[in-house]
Amino acid sequence: MNRLCVHTITTKPWSLEECLVEYPRQGIGGITVWRNALAGRSLGDSARMLRESGLEVVSLCRGGFFPGADARLREHAVDDNRLAIEQAHAIGAPSVVLVCGAVPGQALEVSRAQIAEGIAKVLPDAIAAGVRLLIEPLHPMYADDRSAVNTLRQANALCDRLGSPEGLGIAVDVYHVWWDPELREMIELTARAGRLDAFHLCDWRTPTVDLLNDRGLMGEGCIPLAQICRWVEQAGFRGFREVEIFSNRWWSTDQRDFLKRIVAAYREAITEVGAEG
Amino acid sequence: MNRLCVHTITTKPWSLEECLVEYPRQGIGGITVWRNALAGRSLGDSARMLRESGLEVVSLCRGGFFPGADARLREHAVDDNRLAIEQAHAIGAPSVVLVCGAVPGQALEVSRAQIAEGIAKVLPDAIAAGVRLLIEPLHPMYADDRSAVNTLRQANALCDRLGSPEGLGIAVDVYHVWWDPELREMIELTARAGRLDAFHLCDWRTPTVDLLNDRGLMGEGCIPLAQICRWVEQAGFRGFREVEIFSNRWWSTDQRDFLKRIVAAYREAITEVGAEG
């Protein structure tokens, strides 16, 4: 249980204050903070609240969205990523998750070059702040407008292209990669390269009725969670298992009840893994 | 224009009789017949109607769906694929497109093994009938219940695993593969292996509001159609370019008007390809 982390977006109706009261009550050990949860108070106040909660701050979500049709937009994205790095540093988050970005109608190879360029620009800031940038390959159904980085193979190639610097890692989210015929070997490759920094859980529902906000609670869908958890564990990963669920359905229910279901589903999903909780 | 083919499912509200009147009127050269369009009359009658239309029969859609939770279901799928091969032979279609199948909650590697087994069983029938079976890798968002074969790399590996027999090829649909960072090299590899048998066109809309039936008319979305057409052409493909659009939106409009738009969009999309229409 001490390795269970919940993303604030998972309980989207709650303020950060509510998350910090409710998560520890359920025995949850970590929190990944979405930037919208920081709005409305000083960074110092957020940092203090997080420290006092006893939760470990696992990551800040999210930076990225580097591609843009003109240089001004891309420079704005770079500035925003610098801000994300500052915010992560201030709240004690060791990493910023990157949703790399894409522009509908712009060639993917152009977006991919702009992503590499954007990451290269902000990497020195990340390294100086002691914050790692985590490339999260997104499901190919988001290649139009959310990310032109869509497989673990590609995310690893991007790290290589950038010289595999110390400040760069990869976030593996089962929702985005579960289908990949190369999944196991790519998890192993990512770990061997010292880049397996984050591991996100949810499930894929059949049918999925909304491309963005119809993710399932673990066990509601078809992703072989225990198998993937095992692969990740065997690759040497010992970090938090982060529950990140975008769901209009779950967001419309009582969040305290939902959180209890998350804890139960997490226990169920990792029962077979044969590792400490 | 003589290389433009339309799938009967694209004009779903029309009967085969209507397709056979309307497609030639717009100068369309080929037709890919979905099996539902064969219902309600003898195969001989369908074959005669198709011959008399002057349209070239490009393919039959579709076989596949090999995985199943028990042997009886898998045997039923094999029988159904044998029927599809008979139907293709009867109507003069040189190939059957395979949507390989998947079972929600069944491990993908199990489904993949069952797909290989199913194809191996029906291949002799296909070869005897002079009909090629075309593996169509489907977009990863269909890995839960439609196909456990989701990339061109994987489809090629499956052909290799089956001994790369003469009766087996690959169908490339831009909707399913446009996001692939390896797309160009995989198109070239597929062609070099003598497997690039079919090429399907439509577009990816932003936002896509339905995972199955919200495909776009060429030009409505973000797929770089001219670029992909060029790659396919450069790889040596000289077959039909098949328009396959599943769209509740377009199906609810006047189909004759839609067909005219398809012809115009096709001309626009291939203008830059620099090859004969």
Side-chain angles (χ1 to χ4, degrees), chain B residues 66-68 100-103 106-116 148:
Chain B
F66 294 106
C100 290
V103 178
Q106 174 168 288
L108 289 173
E109 62 265 28
V110 172
S111 290
R112 286 160 185 163
Q114 293 176 350
I115 289 166

Side-chain angles (χ1 to χ4, degrees), chain A residues 173-191:
Chain A
D173 184 321
V174 296
Y175 194 76
H176 299 305
V177 302
W178 75 277
W179 59 271
D180 189 343
E182 305 182 316
L183 181 56
R184 184 176 191 168
E185 66 184 278
M186 285 301 134
I187 286 173
E188 289 167 357
L189 184 151
T190 305

Side-chain angles (χ1 to χ4, degrees), chain B residues 136-187:
Chain B
E136 181 176 24
L138 252 56
H139 194 286
M141 72 183 175
Y142 301 124
D144 56 341
D145 65 350
R146 307 184 82 77
S147 182
V149 179
N150 305 103
T151 64
L152 278 169
R153 177 186 283 275
Q154 191 191 3
N156 276 286
L158 180 53
C159 290
D160 291 339
R161 175 176 170 179
L162 287 162
S164 197
E166 180 50 41
L168 198 54
I170 288 176
V172 173
D173 184 321
V174 296
Y175 193 75
H176 299 304
V177 301
W178 75 278
W179 59 272
D180 189 344
E182 305 182 316
L183 182 55
R184 185 177 191 167
E185 67 184 278
M186 286 301 134
I187 285 172

Side-chain angles (χ1 to χ4, degrees), chain B residues 34-114:
Chain B
W34 278 58
R35 292 169 74 189
N36 65 305
L38 298 175
R41 79 184 82 68
S42 74
L43 265 179
D45 282 350
S46 292
R48 183 186 44 73
M49 283 165 50
L50 283 158
R51 259 195 319 275
E52 290 172 2
S53 75
L55 291 166
E56 188 163 330
V57 180
V58 176
S59 210
L60 181 75
C61 275
R62 62 199 184 191
F65 289 98
F66 294 106
D70 63 57
R72 194 185 47 81
L73 286 168
R74 296 195 295 277
E75 205 46 54
H76 179 76
V78 165
D79 290 343
D80 185 60
N81 278 273
R82 289 195 174 118
L83 175 59
I85 291 164
E86 276 182 40
Q87 290 173 320
H89 179 74
I91 66 169
S95 55
V96 172
V97 175
L98 302 181
V99 171
C100 290
V103 178
Q106 174 168 288
L108 289 173
E109 62 265 28
V110 172
S111 290
R112 286 160 185 163
Q114 293 176 350

Side-chain angles (χ1 to χ4, degrees), chain A residues 66-69 73 101-108 111 114 143-148, chain B residues 222:
Chain A
F66 294 106
L73 287 168
V103 178
Q106 174 168 287
L108 290 173
S111 291
Q114 292 175 351
D144 56 340
D145 64 350
R146 306 184 83 77
S147 182
Chain B
C222 62

Side-chain angles (χ1 to χ4, degrees), chain A residues 87-101:
Chain A
Q87 291 172 321
H89 178 74
I91 66 169
S95 56
V96 172
V97 176
L98 302 181
V99 170
C100 290

